[in-house]
Amino acid sequence: EDIELVSRICKDVKESLENRNGIKLTRVSIAAAGRALKTAKASYAQPLPDGEEITVEMVRNLEYSAIGAAQEIFEKEIENNSGMLFQCVGYSILQYYIDDYNISNLEGHKGSEMKVDIIAAFLPFSVVKGLYSVTARCELEVSNLTLEPIAAINVIVPPDVRLLNIAIADIGAGTSDIAISRNGSIVAYDMA
């Protein structure tokens, strides 16, 4: 909440890392925390060109369309609230489908329709703007932004272990982040 204080601490850490490693840091990845975390689930389906293999770009476009659908669902849910603006800060794939058949990876397959189910996370725009303000004061460009529970489970729990239907709790000084997996997918996350 104190951008100036956080900026000073980040600058100290950045300078320490640069001096120790003899490099200049210019880019940063952010794993955001936020007590006002909101999530929305959405699906998006897209017809496939006849006989054409699914490419990485096609999958990426499918996912981005699902994020757009989640944003629309989310905005309808908070319509009557305080009018706060929110931004998507991360998402997880719940399931991919090809012709209504569950599949773990769409790339390279052929069919008539591909579909994805996702869960997307949203934080108040003011929180995201504050993070970018800190990084700008530290002369760092943001490479990517995600949510702390998404980052934690992706770093700590390999995809095959997520089949065990587990929860991970990352207990920190200000927030505790929780991510839950079921059948190999991250199905929920929250912060306390």
Side-chain angles (χ1 to χ4, degrees), residues 2-173:
D2 187 333
I3 289 175
E4 188 55 41
L5 176 63
V6 172
S7 297
R8 276 189 268 132
I9 293 168
C10 288
K11 280 181 188 175
D12 289 346
V13 171
K14 177 188 171 207
E15 289 170 5
S16 175
L17 290 169
E18 287 174 335
N19 292 335
R20 184 181 75 198
N21 296 301
I23 59 171
K24 174 83 172 133
L25 298 173
T26 59
R27 299 174 65 88
V28 66
S29 296
I30 300 174
R35 292 171 289 220
L37 171 68
K38 307 286 185 194
T39 60
K41 291 182 181 178
S43 296
Y44 191 83
Q46 184 174 327
L48 292 167
D50 196 28
E52 191 174 321
E53 281 189 7
I54 299 171
T55 65
V56 173
E57 294 81 21
M58 292 167 76
V59 174
R60 187 178 306 121
N61 290 335
L62 180 73
E63 291 173 8
Y64 290 162
S65 296
I67 292 168
Q71 179 85 35
E72 288 179 20
I73 290 167
F74 176 71
E75 286 173 356
K76 286 178 186 172
E77 289 177 5
I78 65 162
E79 206 169 66
N80 298 327
N81 289 350
S82 66
M84 260 173 99
L85 294 175
F86 283 77
Q87 180 174 335
C88 180
V89 294
Y91 70 99
S92 298
I93 303 300
L94 298 172
Q95 187 62 58
Y96 289 117
Y97 304 89
I98 186 137
D99 298 334
D100 292 324
Y101 177 74
N102 294 359
I103 195 160
S104 61
N105 186 349
L106 291 169
E107 189 180 343
H109 288 276
K110 296 178 182 181
S112 59
E113 181 184 76
M114 63 179 174
K115 179 181 170 186
V116 66
D117 296 337
I118 67 160
I119 181 170
F122 300 88
L123 286 177
F125 184 68
S126 59
V127 171
V128 176
K129 200 169 162 182
L131 293 170
Y132 277 81
S133 181
V134 168
T135 58
R137 289 174 187 220
C138 295
E139 299 176 359
L140 292 167
E141 180 184 343
V142 177
S143 293
N144 54 55
L145 169 68
T146 192
L147 199 61
E148 281 188 1
I150 294 172
I153 201 163
N154 283 331
V155 168
I156 296 169
V157 183
D160 58 333
V161 176
R162 294 179 201 158
L163 292 167
L164 298 174
N165 304 336
I166 64 170
I168 180 173
D170 174 13
I171 300 170

